[in-house]
């Protein structure tokens, strides 16, 4: 994965601390400290400190906040991430705030996109509802 530093292990090679497997349905907010893989269905907000992989059969209806996100499945909600990869089977509907973005052919995205540089992300996270950043429609 070209998005990550060379000395860093790619997200899909990390040890997964939490797994929501295919067939599982989770209603409510999910918060996890490490790396998470979701192959089931989540209805609620997802906050993961390190990274999240959403498998092809996985879906999230809610907002997502994490450092690294790889999307093979479907998300309906807003994303606030440092690094985002939308794979060819991925589908996202919502606003995206990220530093880096990689999109494969075949991926579907509907919503607004706001990108910031590394040192500006922390400041932009504190923007109030009155001071929304300028969005670029994709």
């Amino acid at each position: 994965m070209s998005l990550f530093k060379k000395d860093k292990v790619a997200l899909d090679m990390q040890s997964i601390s939490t797994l929501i497997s295919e067939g599982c349905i989770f209603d409510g907010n999910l918060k996890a400290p490490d790396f998470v893989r979701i192959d089931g269905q989540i209805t609620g907000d997802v906050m993961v400190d390190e990274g999240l992989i959403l498998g092809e059969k996985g879906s999230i209806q809610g907002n997502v906040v994490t450092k690294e996100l790889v999307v093979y499945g479907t998300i309906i909600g807003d994303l606030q991430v440092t690094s985002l990869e939308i794979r060819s089977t991925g589908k996202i509907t919502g606003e995206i705030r990220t530093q880096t973005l990689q999109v494969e052919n075949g991926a579907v995205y509907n919503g607004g996109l706001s990108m910031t540089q590394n040192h500006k992300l922390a400041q932009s996270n504190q923007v109030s509802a009155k001071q929304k950043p300028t969005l670029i429609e994709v």
Side-chain angles (χ1 to χ4, degrees), residues 19-81:
L19 172 66
I20 307 294
S21 63
E22 186 177 340
C24 290
I25 298 172
F26 185 92
D27 289 322
N29 297 331
L30 174 66
K31 185 172 182 177
D34 285 319
F35 296 92
V36 175
R37 180 173 177 109
I38 298 172
D39 291 308
Q41 299 175 16
I42 305 284
T43 302
D45 295 339
V46 177
M47 291 178 285
V48 180
D49 291 344
E50 295 300 323
L52 169 64
I53 298 172
L54 182 65
E56 282 189 51
K57 306 246 175 157
S59 69
I60 299 172
Q61 289 189 4
N63 300 324
V64 178
V65 178
T66 189
K67 288 181 185 172
E68 301 175 47
L69 175 61
V70 179
V71 179
Y72 293 91
T74 302
I75 298 177
I76 300 172
D78 297 340
L79 309 180
Q80 183 173 318
V81 300

